[in-house]
Protein backbone atom coordinates (compact mmCIF):
# COMPACT_ATOMS: atom_id res chain seq x y z
CA UNK A 1 0.00 0.00 0.00
CA UNK A 2 1.25 3.47 -0.91
CA UNK A 3 1.82 5.92 1.94
CA UNK A 4 -0.76 8.32 0.48
CA UNK A 5 -3.37 5.54 0.50
CA UNK A 6 -2.53 4.73 4.11
CA UNK A 7 -2.86 8.40 5.08
CA UNK A 8 -6.17 8.63 3.21
CA UNK A 9 -7.40 5.56 5.08
CA UNK A 10 -6.46 7.06 8.46
CA UNK A 11 -8.24 10.32 7.58
CA UNK A 12 -11.39 8.53 6.40
CA UNK A 13 -11.39 6.31 9.49
CA UNK A 14 -11.40 9.37 11.78
CA UNK A 15 -13.98 11.11 9.59
CA UNK A 16 -16.41 8.20 9.59
CA UNK A 17 -15.76 7.11 13.20
CA UNK A 18 -14.80 10.34 14.97
CA UNK A 19 -13.20 9.94 18.39
CA UNK A 20 -14.32 12.14 21.28
CA UNK A 21 -17.22 13.61 19.35
CA UNK A 22 -20.08 14.95 21.43
CA UNK A 23 -20.45 17.22 24.43
CA UNK A 24 -19.04 17.22 27.94
CA UNK A 25 -21.43 17.61 30.88
CA UNK A 26 -18.70 19.46 32.67
CA UNK A 27 -16.11 21.56 30.85
CA UNK A 28 -13.73 24.31 31.95
CA UNK A 29 -13.89 25.97 28.60
CA UNK A 30 -15.96 25.82 25.47
CA UNK A 31 -14.77 27.45 22.27
CA UNK A 32 -16.83 27.90 19.11
CA UNK A 33 -14.85 28.65 16.00
CA UNK A 34 -15.77 29.13 12.39
CA UNK A 35 -13.65 28.52 9.34
CA UNK A 36 -13.98 31.93 7.64
CA UNK A 37 -13.44 30.50 4.18
CA UNK A 38 -16.35 28.04 4.19
CA UNK A 39 -18.46 28.89 7.27
CA UNK A 40 -18.06 25.45 8.83
CA UNK A 41 -18.01 25.50 12.62
CA UNK A 42 -16.50 23.51 15.42
CA UNK A 43 -17.10 23.53 19.15
CA UNK A 44 -14.30 22.27 21.36
CA UNK A 45 -14.76 21.56 25.06
CA UNK A 46 -11.90 20.86 27.42
CA UNK A 47 -11.77 19.77 31.03
CA UNK A 48 -8.41 20.40 32.68
CA UNK A 49 -7.43 18.76 35.96
CA UNK A 50 -4.03 18.99 37.62
CA UNK A 51 -2.51 20.45 34.46
CA UNK A 52 -3.77 17.54 32.37
CA UNK A 53 -6.32 17.47 29.58
CA UNK A 54 -8.64 15.26 31.60
CA UNK A 55 -11.34 15.15 28.96
CA UNK A 56 -12.07 16.74 25.61
CA UNK A 57 -14.94 16.65 23.12
CA UNK A 58 -15.77 18.31 19.86
CA UNK A 59 -18.78 18.66 17.63
CA UNK A 60 -19.61 20.62 14.55
CA UNK A 61 -19.72 20.28 10.85
CA UNK A 62 -17.04 20.35 8.25
CA UNK A 63 -15.17 18.51 5.58
CA UNK A 64 -13.35 15.24 6.09
CA UNK A 65 -10.05 17.04 6.70
CA UNK A 66 -11.42 19.29 9.45
CA UNK A 67 -13.35 16.54 11.24
CA UNK A 68 -10.52 14.00 10.98
CA UNK A 69 -8.05 16.60 12.26
CA UNK A 70 -10.32 17.36 15.24
CA UNK A 71 -10.77 13.66 15.99
CA UNK A 72 -7.03 12.94 15.79
CA UNK A 73 -6.25 16.02 17.85
CA UNK A 74 -8.58 15.05 20.68
CA UNK A 75 -7.13 11.56 20.72
CA UNK A 76 -3.59 12.92 20.80
CA UNK A 77 -4.13 15.42 23.63
CA UNK A 78 -6.47 13.50 25.94
CA UNK A 79 -4.64 12.59 29.13
CA UNK A 80 -1.66 14.75 28.19
CA UNK A 81 -0.25 17.74 30.03
CA UNK A 82 -1.63 20.98 28.63
CA UNK A 83 1.98 21.98 27.87
CA UNK A 84 2.37 18.84 25.80
CA UNK A 85 -0.87 19.59 23.93
CA UNK A 86 0.49 23.04 23.07
CA UNK A 87 3.76 21.47 21.92
CA UNK A 88 1.77 19.19 19.63
CA UNK A 89 -0.11 22.20 18.31
CA UNK A 90 3.18 23.92 17.44
CA UNK A 91 4.47 20.82 15.68
CA UNK A 92 1.19 20.43 13.79
CA UNK A 93 1.47 24.02 12.56
CA UNK A 94 5.06 23.43 11.49
CA UNK A 95 3.87 20.44 9.50
CA UNK A 96 1.11 22.54 7.88
CA UNK A 97 3.68 25.17 6.89
CA UNK A 98 5.79 22.48 5.30
CA UNK A 99 8.50 23.33 7.86
CA UNK A 100 10.51 20.84 9.85
CA UNK A 101 8.27 19.03 12.32
CA UNK A 102 8.72 16.40 15.01
CA UNK A 103 6.91 13.43 13.46
CA UNK A 104 7.63 11.22 16.47
CA UNK A 105 5.64 13.66 18.55
CA UNK A 106 2.87 13.97 15.93
CA UNK A 107 2.33 10.24 15.50
CA UNK A 108 -0.84 9.46 13.53
CA UNK A 109 -1.34 13.17 12.80
CA UNK A 110 1.32 12.77 10.12
CA UNK A 111 -1.52 11.41 7.98
CA UNK A 112 -2.51 15.06 7.44
CA UNK A 113 0.95 16.11 6.23
CA UNK A 114 -0.20 16.14 2.60
CA UNK A 115 -2.58 19.03 3.38
CA UNK A 116 0.43 21.36 3.46
CA UNK A 117 0.48 21.19 -0.35
CA UNK A 118 -3.07 22.59 -0.55
CA UNK A 119 -3.14 26.06 1.04
CA UNK A 120 -6.94 26.29 0.75
CA UNK A 121 -7.31 23.20 2.95
CA UNK A 122 -4.88 24.26 5.67
CA UNK A 123 -7.64 26.28 7.37
CA UNK A 124 -9.71 23.07 7.47
CA UNK A 125 -6.92 21.08 9.11
CA UNK A 126 -6.06 23.80 11.63
CA UNK A 127 -9.63 24.68 12.69
CA UNK A 128 -9.64 22.39 15.74
CA UNK A 129 -6.09 23.44 16.63
CA UNK A 130 -7.07 27.11 16.52
CA UNK A 131 -9.85 26.24 18.97
CA UNK A 132 -7.36 24.44 21.21
CA UNK A 133 -5.07 27.46 21.24
CA UNK A 134 -8.02 29.69 22.10
CA UNK A 135 -8.76 27.40 25.05
CA UNK A 136 -5.23 27.88 26.29
CA UNK A 137 -5.36 31.64 25.70
CA UNK A 138 -8.68 31.87 27.57
CA UNK A 139 -7.13 30.01 30.47
CA UNK A 140 -4.59 32.81 30.59
CA UNK A 141 -1.80 30.48 29.57
CA UNK A 142 -2.16 28.60 32.86
CA UNK A 143 -0.93 25.06 32.64
CA UNK A 144 -1.10 23.86 36.21
CA UNK A 145 -4.63 24.35 37.38
CA UNK A 146 -5.79 21.83 39.94
CA UNK A 147 -9.27 20.52 40.45
CA UNK A 148 -11.33 22.28 43.06
FE1 LIG B 1 -15.19 23.74 5.68
FE2 LIG B 1 -13.06 22.22 5.32
S1 LIG B 1 -14.41 22.97 3.80
S2 LIG B 1 -13.81 23.02 7.18
Amino acid sequence: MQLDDLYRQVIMDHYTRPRNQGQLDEADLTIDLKNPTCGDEITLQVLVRDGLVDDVRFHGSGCSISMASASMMTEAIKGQLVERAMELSREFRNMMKGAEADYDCLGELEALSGVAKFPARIKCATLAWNALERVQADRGGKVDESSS
Side-chain angles (χ1 to χ4, degrees):
M1 184 188 287
Q2 297 283 313
L3 195 56
D4 279 357
D5 292 335
L6 179 67
Y7 285 171
R8 208 168 298 128
Q9 235 176 51
V10 172
I11 291 167
M12 286 317 288
D13 179 51
H14 277 272
Y15 178 54
T16 53
R17 295 187 311 117
R19 320 314 192 251
N20 303 303
Q21 191 179 43
Q23 296 192 49
L24 288 176
D25 294 334
E26 189 193 1
D28 292 324
L29 282 162
T30 299
I31 301 289
D32 299 304
L33 267 193
K34 188 181 269 201
N35 180 343
T37 57
C38 63
D40 287 332
E41 287 177 299
I42 190 170
T43 298
L44 183 72
Q45 293 183 296
V46 180
L47 179 69
V48 177
R49 290 290 177 263
D50 300 324
L52 291 172
V53 178
D54 194 53
D55 212 348
V56 56
R57 292 277 192 287
F58 79 96
H59 62 273
S61 61
C63 62
S64 55
I65 301 281
S66 67
M67 294 294 109
S69 184
S71 171
M72 280 189 247
M73 180 192 83
T74 58
E75 208 170 43
I77 65 170
K78 198 168 169 176
Q80 300 287 337
L81 285 168
V82 175
E83 282 166 327
R84 173 78 176 161
M86 291 303 127
E87 199 180 305
L88 260 172
S89 184
R90 278 193 297 277
E91 293 304 328
F92 188 80
R93 284 184 193 287
N94 285 341
M95 184 171 78
M96 286 299 107
K97 286 186 221 149
E100 208 171 297
D102 182 347
Y103 288 102
D104 288 341
C105 164
L106 287 164
E108 199 180 41
L109 287 157
E110 189 177 351
L112 290 162
S113 58
V115 175
K117 290 185 227 123
F118 304 97
R121 306 311 299 277
I122 293 174
K123 281 197 169 70
C124 304
T126 53
L127 184 60
W129 298 88
N130 290 340
L132 178 65
E133 288 179 3
R134 280 276 296 279
V135 165
Q136 175 67 344
D138 285 7
R139 295 180 72 243
K142 284 180 287 179
V143 292
D144 192 26
E145 189 175 276
S146 299
S147 60
S148 50

